[in-house]
Amino acid sequence: MTNEQREMIEYTTQDIIAYIIEDEGFDMDKAMDMFYTSKTFEKLTDVETGLYLDGSAYVYERFKTEKEDLYSVRV
């Protein structure tokens, strides 16, 4: 992984944690835990997926979809 890739991943991660705090009202520790343990973060940090090249808003939407799918009750 290049330094540029690391920086892009770090900036996106910071944005998404800020979105979680703003949208969910969680503190930073809870928001970080939620994102760092997600499949979305796993994919973001795998440069082979190219997800780090997408905008923060797109990655956050993927994260929200992942959490909705995880916690939804299917009838």
Side-chain angles (χ1 to χ4, degrees), residues 7-75:
E7 286 179 6
M8 292 175 75
I9 291 167
E10 185 175 324
Y11 294 141
T12 300
T13 299
Q14 290 173 359
D15 288 346
I16 292 173
I17 290 169
Y19 294 153
I20 295 169
I21 292 168
E22 182 178 323
D23 289 352
E24 302 295 333
F26 295 136
D27 64 23
M28 184 173 293
D29 288 338
K30 175 69 174 171
M32 290 171 66
D33 183 56
M34 284 184 69
F35 188 58
Y36 288 142
T37 60
S38 71
K39 295 278 186 201
T40 304
F41 180 73
E42 185 179 320
K43 291 176 183 172
L44 176 65
T45 57
D46 179 358
V47 294
E48 295 297 317
T49 68
L51 186 58
Y52 73 96
L53 296 169
D54 292 319
S56 298
Y58 173 77
V59 177
Y60 183 55
E61 289 301 318
R62 285 186 58 134
F63 171 75
K64 289 192 317 186
T65 300
E66 173 189 340
K67 290 301 173 192
E68 288 169 5
D69 290 347
L70 186 62
Y71 294 112
S72 68
V73 177
R74 295 197 168 98
V75 178

